[in-house]
Amino acid sequence: MNASCTVNRITVNRFSECEWVTVHLDVVKIVNGSPVLEGTADFSVKHQMTLKTNSANWSEKFTVSRAATTGQGRGVAVKFSATSGGGTRATAHFPQGHTLDSAAGGSVDYKTAAIAPKKINPKAKTTYGYTFTKAGYSPAGVSYASAVYRCDNYYGSTRASRAGCAIPDAPTGVSMVGLARIDEGIRNLRSRGGHYGDPNGGKPLHWMINKTQEARNRAAVCPRTAPADMRRAGRTSCDEYPFASTYEGGTALAAAQREITWVKVNENKSQGGRITAWRGQMHVMDHDPFFVIA
């Protein structure tokens, strides 16, 4: 689903952005060495960018509205440019020299150089630039940037690429529904006031890629052996929440904001598989925010 638009804001979800910008332009002439304001032009630009979970190449469309003008604001020509980074090249398509007296549309194509398996490209954003000209008047320009995006091939291999891109600051969500004891443990914690990872008004968790710290986090909260009653029930695997693989894991939070639940080994394995699949599909990397549905 594409992000919806709000004027003068960037609205995002995990794989799309809508940016709606208003631009004010002063039309100025130099008279006897001094700038004189002779008109204005006001217009808006609306961008719709959609990234791909299975490709590091994508495109966006944008529209430039007809300008509302005063004085000599009519007849202003505009040229458009777009530049990116993080291993991605942006190519702009626009009727360069179009005047703001009527609306116009354009697009930007994004192509990312091949990403090696297990690699994560630097975060990047698009800088949009406009140059305005009118014969006899001073040239002008304006620029603004998109939301931050990031491409990776973290789950790629020599056999098949899984490169894709996401907006890392937009939280995603992983569901524990159907994992009976794990789901129950999280809901019990939330009923006592635990709010980290709760999509209903809580603070997000943040994924951590650090196996050494993950092991420390788990050891800090999980006993080596299950209590006798849990062993008799076959629930010998310790499930910790927040997950050990988050920056909120271990003892990072106060005791009232964390819990452990003893579950059967197969349930913990099912959770691991679910999390791995979710991370790959949503391109969740180090420090990315997310919520847990329970």
Side-chain angles (χ1 to χ4, degrees):
M1 181 180 297
N2 287 334
S4 58
C5 281
T6 303
V7 66
N8 288 327
R9 286 188 61 188
I10 298 177
T11 308
V12 300
N13 59 35
R14 193 66 181 174
F15 294 106
S16 73
E17 171 209 71
C18 190
E19 184 170 8
W20 191 356
V21 180
T22 56
V23 180
H24 173 80
L25 174 65
D26 289 332
V27 181
V28 174
K29 177 180 281 189
I30 303 300
V31 180
N32 297 324
S34 299
V36 177
L37 177 64
E38 294 202 345
T40 63
D42 291 272
F43 65 96
S44 66
V45 187
K46 189 181 293 186
H47 298 260
Q48 186 75 62
M49 180 190 295
T50 303
L51 305 175
K52 295 181 179 180
T53 185
N54 58 355
S55 174
N57 303 324
W58 73 96
S59 63
E60 73 169 286
K61 294 182 178 180
F62 65 95
T63 55
V64 178
S65 74
R66 177 183 177 180
T69 62
T70 64
Q72 294 299 316
R74 290 184 61 81
V76 174
V78 58
K79 291 185 177 180
F80 171 82
S81 65
T83 57
S84 182
T88 298
R89 184 180 74 251
T91 303
H93 306 281
F94 185 75
Q96 306 292 5
H98 167 82
T99 66
L100 294 173
D101 300 337
S102 62
S107 62
V108 182
D109 291 332
Y110 295 88
K111 186 174 180 60
T112 303
I115 309 172
K118 307 301 180 186
K119 297 298 182 182
I120 306 169
N121 277 4
K123 294 179 180 180
K125 58 186 176 181
T126 305
T127 299
Y128 308 105
Y130 299 80
T131 302
F132 306 103
T133 56
K134 181 177 179 178
Y137 294 84
S138 300
V142 68
S143 65
Y144 54 88
S146 72
V148 172
Y149 45 79
R150 179 200 58 217
C151 299
D152 76 274
N153 191 17
Y154 190 77
Y155 286 93
S157 68
T158 56
R159 295 188 299 273
S161 172
R162 294 185 64 180
C165 309
I167 297 175
D169 294 334
T172 179
V174 59
S175 175
M176 296 295 107
V177 175
L179 300 174
R181 297 301 181 183
I182 293 173
D183 181 75
E184 178 185 49
I186 295 171
R187 286 187 286 107
N188 286 342
L189 173 65
R190 289 176 180 171
S191 71
R192 300 191 301 269
H195 60 80
Y196 280 85
D198 188 347
N200 298 307
K203 294 182 179 180
L205 299 174
H206 296 83
W207 193 260
M208 179 182 67
I209 301 179
N210 184 327
K211 289 297 183 183
T212 300
Q213 186 59 46
E214 179 182 342
R216 290 172 180 162
N217 286 349
R218 187 169 290 109
V221 295
C222 279
R224 289 180 178 272
T225 58
D229 60 334
M230 292 292 100
R231 291 199 303 272
R232 287 193 296 270
R235 294 163 59 179
T236 58
S237 183
C238 176
D239 180 76
E240 74 292 333
Y241 185 86
F243 309 137
S245 49
T246 66
Y247 282 93
E248 293 78 14
T251 56
L253 300 180
Q257 292 295 324
R258 50 186 165 88
E259 59 85 28
I260 63 168
T261 302
W262 292 97
V263 304
K264 293 184 177 181
V265 172
N266 284 344
E267 185 171 334
N268 234 345
K269 287 182 177 179
S270 294
Q271 180 196 51
R274 185 178 294 192
I275 289 175
T276 298
W278 158 74
R279 285 194 61 209
Q281 182 182 15
M282 294 294 171
H283 294 269
V284 178
M285 303 297 155
D286 198 53
H287 286 287
D288 281 7
F290 70 97
F291 292 100
V292 179
I293 301 163

